[in-house]
Amino acid sequence: MLKYLKNVSTLTLDPDTCIGCGKCTEVCPHGVFEIADKKARILDKNSCMECGACVLNCPANALEVNAGVGCAAAVIMGWFTGKEPSCDCGDGCC
Amino acid sequence: MSQTCCSENSCCCSESTGQAVNISTSLTFRDHWGAFKVRWGVGRTNYRVEPGLYAVGGPDENSPVLVSANYKLTFDTLRKNLAGLDCWLLILDTKGVNVWCAAGKGTFGTDELIDRIQMTGLSEVVAHKRLILPQLGAVGVSAHEVTRRTGFSVLYGSVRADDIRAFIASGYEATKEMRTVKFTLRDRLVLTPVELAETLKPLLMIFGVLFLVNLFAAKPFGVYDFCVFVGTIIVGSVLTPALLPILPGRALSGKGWILGLVWTAAALWLFGWLMPVQWLAVIGYLLLFPAVAAYLAMNFTGCTPYTSPSGVLKEMKIALPFIIGSGVAGAVLILINHLVG
């Protein structure tokens, strides 16, 4: 898989709160997590694309990330409109 | 709720009774033609099916329920992979947007899923309490929240519709392969027509301006400039995405810049550096066109399934000043060369 910029992801995991249910390993599309000793562990943080699926599906609230869209056009649109970058940039986009 | 029909095919379903309409698992010429059109951005925002419950094969109360989006391209991709299976399809109203993008927007979300379960009377249709969602829908759906509010448990299936049969056959066990998003050459190429179509409007505006400039130019812009320019757009919007894994570096703008520089230099060399050599224009070309390719490549971040917002912001903060500076300087040099002669 293609790799993007290193050391930028805002993903954090609180091992004390984690209940080791493994939902994060189920939803992560980049294999960022693994379960070891009944706890989740961040295996490959540089592959994290900050989509936020793990945070939303963690029943123990053990995960945090500044989730959003990794889209330059959305960021530029956000600068012009003063809003958070989102996919709602009109007709052309996804 | 009244019975409604969708525009693109004849599937109708009554949401109030939970009666599901049976759908085919084979695609017609019309489906393929529709897919081709939306890949080029034609009528893409209105390519939808009616949300609600659909039946594939002859499902009964024990058959699995698959949840998906009401973008017709998504719906077609899913149903063609369900041949020979008996299952239910619960289609959410994602405003005609695919699962992942809709999940990012929140339309493929917890609330819409819960509403749709209730509207279709799903708990009367099936005896079990299990929903299978596409894994990428997890960006918008909180599984434990859905369970808490409806009693239905949410199981995330494979990322891709091609793997859904294997996922069901294995007793809902996804391999790591099924769980990981890929971005193959084919995946990247199908996205490029829309990128090209997007450049059309600004392109026409630039041509309009150049037409006016030509009225006053000592050396008018010609076919050669046109070719280099169009080539640069193809380099930034098609070639860079296609060659993404083999281009050096990680930032997409950097990859696009390198390929843009190679293209511009090659085009200049082929044409003898604008014989007789016009250094002002040559430098202008080398400043402007790689910057345009870099910008277009940077915009492809929105199409990729691996670029993080923090990363994109970092890339832009570094790349944009260079792109703008280089692009403006190049455009000024080229204009001076053409106007002054």
Side-chain angles (χ1 to χ4, degrees), chain A residues 1-10 23 25-33 43 46-61 66-73 75-76 79 87-94, chain B residues 44-45 97-98 100-101 105 110 135-136 138-144 154-156 159 176 179-183 188 194 198 244-245 250-252 255 295 298-299 301-302 304-317 320:
Chain A
M1 185 62 199
L2 286 149
K3 296 277 187 195
Y4 197 44
L5 308 191
K6 280 188 253 183
N7 307 323
V8 288
S9 173
T10 53
K23 206 69 182 175
T25 60
E26 186 181 327
V27 299
C28 178
H30 289 290
V32 168
F33 304 96
L43 187 69
N46 284 331
S47 288
C48 171
M49 60 172 293
E50 303 179 312
C51 70
C54 56
V55 175
L56 194 61
N57 283 280
C58 175
N61 287 322
N66 290 333
V69 289
C71 169
V75 172
I76 293 173
W79 287 340
C87 282
D88 296 313
C89 50
D91 42 29
C93 194
C94 78
Chain B
R44 196 157 60 113
T45 51
V97 171
N98 70 72
W100 206 358
C101 288
K105 290 167 189 261
T110 308
Q135 189 191 324
L136 297 182
V139 174
V141 174
S142 172
H144 55 275
V154 169
L155 219 78
Y156 291 106
V159 165
K176 192 171 164 60
R179 285 261 172 262
T180 311
V181 80
K182 292 186 204 77
F183 202 36
R188 299 193 299 274
V194 165
E198 287 284 290
L244 217 51
R250 289 175 180 239
L252 270 68
K255 291 171 187 272
Y295 182 80
M298 188 183 76
N299 266 351
T301 50
T304 70
Y306 74 100
T307 54
S308 60
S310 298
V312 169
L313 201 62
K314 185 179 177 186
E315 165 166 358
M316 291 175 77
K317 279 183 177 161
L320 261 189

Side-chain angles (χ1 to χ4, degrees), chain B residues 52 76 79 109 134 141 172 191 201 215 249 267 285-286 309:
Chain B
D76 285 354
R79 69 188 171 98
V141 174
Y172 312 123
L191 300 172
K201 214 195 279 177
L215 298 177
Y285 266 65
L286 290 172

Side-chain angles (χ1 to χ4, degrees), chain B:
Chain B
M1 200 171 289
S2 66
Q3 198 143 311
T4 47
C5 289
C6 50
S7 53
E8 285 291 332
N9 63 2
S10 57
C11 48
C12 307
C13 47
S14 163
E15 289 175 341
S16 54
T17 60
Q19 280 178 349
V21 165
N22 212 287
I23 51 162
S24 164
T25 54
S26 51
L27 303 188
T28 63
F29 171 75
R30 201 174 162 188
D31 298 324
H32 291 297
W33 174 240
F36 177 78
K37 279 198 296 187
V38 293
R39 285 299 189 192
W40 283 93
V42 178
R44 196 157 60 113
T45 51
N46 206 23
Y47 197 55
R48 319 174 172 198
V49 295
E50 195 63 31
L53 193 65
Y54 294 82
V56 175
D60 61 21
E61 56 176 19
N62 296 315
S63 304
V65 179
L66 308 182
V67 182
S68 193
N70 81 326
Y71 184 31
K72 189 163 146 49
L73 196 62
T74 304
F75 181 77
D76 285 354
T77 308
L78 178 59
R79 69 188 171 98
K80 80 167 184 215
N81 279 293
L82 299 176
L85 292 178
D86 299 314
C87 59
W88 302 100
L89 287 192
L90 184 67
I91 301 297
L92 306 190
D93 185 6
T94 61
K95 318 288 176 206
V97 171
N98 70 72
V99 170
W100 206 358
C101 288
K105 290 167 189 261
T107 46
F108 190 98
T110 308
D111 290 339
E112 164 62 16
L113 175 57
I114 292 169
D115 287 351
R116 202 56 60 182
I117 291 170
Q118 279 150 6
M119 268 191 262
T120 53
L122 186 65
S123 26
E124 271 94 71
V125 179
V126 290
H128 61 80
K129 288 278 178 192
R130 191 180 52 239
L131 303 172
I132 300 167
L133 267 67
Q135 189 191 324
L136 297 182
V139 174
V141 174
S142 172
H144 55 275
E145 188 68 15
V146 173
T147 309
R148 194 177 64 79
R149 284 163 60 184
T150 65
F152 277 94
S153 65
V154 169
L155 219 78
Y156 291 106
S158 53
V159 165
R160 304 178 75 96
D162 328 32
D163 291 326
I164 193 68
R165 295 173 66 89
F167 175 78
I168 294 172
S170 70
Y172 312 123
E173 282 292 328
T175 61
K176 192 171 164 60
E177 171 92 359
M178 291 181 196
R179 285 261 172 262
T180 311
V181 80
K182 292 186 204 77
F183 202 36
T184 62
L185 177 65
R186 192 183 176 280
D187 294 339
R188 299 193 299 274
L189 283 180
V190 295
L191 300 172
T192 57
V194 165
E195 291 295 291
L196 270 184
E198 287 284 290
T199 62
L200 206 61
K201 214 195 279 177
L203 197 66
L204 290 176
M205 273 156 60
I206 290 167
F207 287 156
V209 171
L210 290 182
F211 179 77
L212 291 178
V213 170
N214 262 2
L215 298 177
F216 309 101
K219 278 198 296 252
F221 290 97
V223 176
Y224 174 67
D225 305 278
F226 174 83
C227 290
V228 178
F229 191 28
V230 171
T232 302
I233 286 169
I234 292 169
V235 162
S237 298
V238 182
L239 227 49
T240 306
L243 301 176
L244 217 51
I246 56 170
L247 292 170
R250 289 175 180 239
L252 270 68
S253 50
K255 291 171 187 272
W257 185 82
I258 289 169
L259 213 53
L261 186 67
V262 170
W263 157 248
T264 312
L268 284 169
W269 179 75
L270 264 177
F271 286 88
W273 308 97
L274 306 172
M275 278 185 300
V277 180
Q278 301 164 30
W279 283 114
L280 209 57
V282 167
I283 295 167
Y285 266 65
L286 290 172
L287 285 174
L288 174 64
F289 291 113
V292 172
Y295 182 80
L296 292 171
M298 188 183 76
N299 266 351
F300 196 66
T301 50
C303 295
T304 70
Y306 74 100
T307 54
S308 60
S310 298
V312 169
L313 201 62
K314 185 179 177 186
E315 165 166 358
M316 291 175 77
K317 279 183 177 161
I318 297 167
L320 261 189
F322 281 102
I323 289 173
I324 294 171
S326 173
V328 169
V332 168
L333 288 182
I334 293 170
L335 274 178
I336 290 174
N337 180 66
H338 278 268
L339 285 173
V340 180

